[in-house]
């Protein structure tokens, strides 16, 4: 009999966090690792946001705050939803947590009973299914393959819904594919959801501002106001504002759900970091022009990586609409053998061999529920991306 809980046997550690840690360990041991594993901007947090944090400390904002966020931040979040998404929320409909991860976790813990089903399109962000399992629910995986643009269809969604379906977790632009759903794609899905009033929508909009080639972001409650009363709209400052380490995520939705999420947070972590909350106020209320500048760099890096990968025999890489990931297929490399004698039977074998033999860290596709692929985060310098692509190309060409 194990000392650990039975629930733990149903989940695995986060592979995105694991690859980041492994790359850091190898680098500390002297290996010239290029890590394209972690999904975080390489840009520093903008100066005006850093200064707001320093000012907050000096002003004594270093104590406990209300459990799910200071009023100033909740107001800034309401203003953001109004400004960016045409969604009207009151501060009591807003919850702030230590990153988007805790928002999602609180919402699932607050709502799932044993046997409740949560529909998750695959490829999915690694933590969705395991969070559902931790909360006692059952993930129902809905494949969204590359030939469908990594998007689920209305028919597939309709077919996946059962009387036990509680949530659809929706993520556009997607981690790990960068695929975006435009208004028409979204409307087709929200039309389905309107026919199934037991299904709520958890919309993870973390990559809202990271879109390219004129792609227009939309979120379910905006496209279908009829879903407003059963949608949790989730966002955060990590990606667009280059604030991953500050750990501020937030959501808006029905008061009953937000109150339940607060109850869970009050018995676990209490408030997110007070200083980070003030920094987030400055981020949301402050200038946004740097986001467009960053996006120019991200789009250039995306184009560089997609072109380089597609030039490699055995790899095929679609062009994503947003986020800072690409999700190439390595179907053409399966069955080959690396110079050190590793057989590439799976995308995990590929990622391990690439790291061990060519010093490039990526996340293998099976972790995101669609194989054989791998994910590259191109939120890295042009030099690192070019060097990484050189190494990936040489590695793939060395396979026999
Ligand atoms: N969301 C980022 C990623 O996918 C951060 C790591 C994590 O928390 O999973 O790499």
């Amino acid at each position: 009999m194990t000392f650990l809980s039975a629930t733990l046997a149903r989940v695995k550690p986060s592979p995105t966090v694991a690859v980041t840690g492994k790359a850091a360990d190898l680098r500390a041991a002297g290996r010239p690792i290029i890590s394209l594993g972690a999904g975080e901007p390489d840009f520093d947090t903008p100066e005006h946001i850093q200064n707001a944090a320093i000012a907050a400390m000096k002003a004594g904002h270093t104590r406990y705050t209300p459990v799910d966020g200071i009023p100033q931040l909740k107001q800034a979040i309401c203003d953001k939803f109004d400004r960016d998404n045409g969604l009207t929320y009151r501060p009591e409909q807003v919850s702030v947590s230590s990153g988007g991860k805790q928002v999602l976790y609180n919402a699932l813990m607050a709502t799932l009973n044993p046997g409740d089903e949560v529909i998750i399109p695959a490829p999915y962000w690694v933590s969705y299914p395991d969070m559902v399992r931790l909360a006692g629910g059952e993930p129902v995986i809905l494949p969204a393959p590359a030939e469908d643009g990594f998007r689920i269809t209305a028919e597939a969604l309709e077919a996946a819904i059962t009387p036990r379906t509680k949530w659809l977790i929706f993520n556009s632009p997607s981690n790990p594919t960068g695929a975006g759903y435009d208004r028409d794609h979204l409307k087709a899905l929200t039309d389905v959801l309107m026919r199934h009033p037991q299904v709520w929508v958890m919309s993870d909009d973390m990559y809202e501002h990271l879109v390219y080639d004129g792609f227009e972001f939309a979120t379910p409650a905006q496209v279908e106001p009829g879903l407003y009363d059963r949608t949790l709209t989730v966002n955060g400052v990590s990606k667009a504002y280059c604030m991953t380490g500050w750990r501020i995520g937030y959501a808006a939705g029905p008061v009953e759900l937000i109150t339940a999420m607060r109850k869970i947070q009050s018995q676990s972590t209490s408030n997110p970091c007070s200083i980070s909350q003030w920094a987030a106020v400055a981020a949301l209320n402050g200038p946004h022009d740097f986001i467009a500048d960053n996006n120019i760099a991200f789009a250039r890096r995306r184009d560089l990586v997609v072109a380089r990968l597609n030039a490699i025999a055995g790899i095929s890489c679609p062009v994503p609409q947003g986020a800072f990931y690409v999700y190439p297929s390595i179907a053409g490399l399966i069955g080959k053998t690396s110079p050190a004698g590793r057989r590439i039977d799976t995308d995990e074998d590929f990622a391990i061999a690439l790291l061990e033999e060519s010093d490039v860290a990526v996340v293998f596709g099976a972790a995101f529920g669609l194989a054989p692929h791998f994910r590259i985060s191109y939120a890295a310098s042009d030099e690192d991306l070019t060097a990484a692509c050189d190494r990936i190309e040489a590695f793939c060409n060395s396979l026999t």
Side-chain angles (χ1 to χ4, degrees):
M1 195 171 124
T2 167
F3 176 67
L4 302 175
S5 85
T7 306
L8 214 62
R10 284 161 48 84
V11 302
K12 59 184 182 322
S14 164
T16 47
V17 173
V19 79
T20 311
K22 174 106 199 259
D25 289 348
L26 289 174
R27 203 182 283 128
R31 292 262 300 272
I33 303 292
I34 300 176
S35 182
L36 307 180
E40 63 176 341
D42 57 319
F43 302 119
D44 289 333
T45 304
E47 186 122 10
H48 69 278
I49 301 174
Q50 297 187 28
N51 287 339
I54 293 166
M57 275 187 268
K58 300 277 187 205
H61 295 308
T62 51
R63 302 190 168 84
Y64 294 132
T65 76
V67 164
D68 62 356
I70 54 175
Q72 293 83 347
L73 180 52
K74 289 191 173 188
Q75 188 56 54
I77 291 165
C78 292
D79 294 345
K80 173 260 174 290
F81 279 124
D82 184 41
R83 177 176 70 234
D84 295 342
N85 311 113
L87 290 171
T88 304
Y89 289 110
R90 302 184 310 281
E92 63 266 35
Q93 291 179 278
V94 172
S95 184
V96 185
S97 296
S98 300
K101 249 172 156 163
Q102 194 187 11
V103 173
L104 300 167
Y105 187 72
N106 286 348
L108 293 166
M109 289 296 286
T111 53
L112 293 184
N113 291 310
D116 284 348
E117 295 172 2
V118 178
I119 297 177
I120 302 173
Y124 45 72
W125 177 51
V126 293
S127 294
Y128 297 150
D130 286 304
M131 284 186 183
V132 168
R133 290 188 193 101
L134 276 173
E138 301 295 333
V140 173
I141 306 302
L142 201 52
E147 49 273 27
D148 293 339
F150 294 123
R151 286 182 286 268
I152 55 167
T153 62
E155 297 71 35
L157 176 61
E158 181 86 57
I161 292 173
T162 76
R164 301 301 307 260
T165 308
K166 202 141 198 181
W167 288 102
L168 163 68
I169 300 185
F170 180 78
N171 175 221
S172 164
S174 149
N175 177 0
T177 65
Y181 291 68
D182 64 20
R183 274 182 170 269
D184 291 340
H185 292 129
L186 248 175
K187 185 73 172 66
L189 301 184
T190 58
D191 283 351
V192 172
L193 295 169
M194 286 305 287
R195 293 195 286 277
H196 299 276
Q198 81 279 21
V199 184
W200 285 49
V201 190
M202 198 176 294
S203 185
D204 179 350
D205 298 352
M206 197 56 80
Y207 296 93
E208 165 178 19
H209 292 297
L210 305 184
V211 292
Y212 316 113
D213 307 333
F215 177 84
E216 286 190 23
F217 171 85
T219 192
Q222 170 190 29
V223 170
E224 177 48 80
L227 289 175
Y228 178 88
D229 290 332
R230 50 186 167 108
T231 299
L232 185 70
T233 305
V234 182
N235 213 314
V237 294
S238 290
K239 313 290 180 175
Y241 298 91
C242 313
M243 295 176 69
T244 47
W246 301 75
R247 310 309 300 135
I248 295 292
Y250 57 83
V255 170
E256 188 186 10
L257 172 60
I258 295 296
T259 305
M261 290 164 63
R262 178 165 61 237
K263 193 195 259 188
I264 290 177
Q265 194 157 298
S266 79
Q267 292 291 21
S268 52
T269 60
S270 281
N271 64 274
C273 170
S274 57
I275 300 153
S276 297
Q277 289 188 67
W278 283 101
V281 171
L284 292 174
N285 289 346
H288 289 85
D289 25 324
F290 67 91
I291 297 178
D293 295 341
N294 291 354
N295 282 357
I296 291 170
F298 284 141
R300 183 184 66 241
R301 294 164 175 184
R302 176 198 65 168
D303 293 344
L304 180 152
V305 171
V306 169
R308 288 292 309 269
L309 291 174
N310 277 327
I312 300 171
I315 293 189
S316 148
C317 184
V319 182
Q321 291 81 41
F324 37 57
Y325 307 109
V326 292
Y327 198 64
S329 163
I330 55 158
L333 301 175
I334 295 299
K336 297 196 172 207
T337 303
S338 74
R342 293 184 171 86
R343 227 183 106 89
I344 311 294
D345 285 327
T346 65
D347 51 26
E348 187 168 8
D349 295 338
F350 175 83
I352 291 170
L354 184 65
L355 181 60
E356 295 296 342
E357 298 177 36
S358 295
D359 292 327
V360 178
V362 299
V363 188
F364 61 97
F368 304 98
L370 187 78
H373 287 257
F374 67 99
R375 186 191 79 173
I376 281 182
S377 166
Y378 57 81
S381 69
D382 293 43
E383 296 71 40
D384 274 357
L385 290 172
T386 301
C389 288
D390 290 344
R391 293 184 194 179
I392 293 170
E393 182 174 26
F395 174 76
C396 293
N397 288 341
S398 73
L399 298 175
T400 52

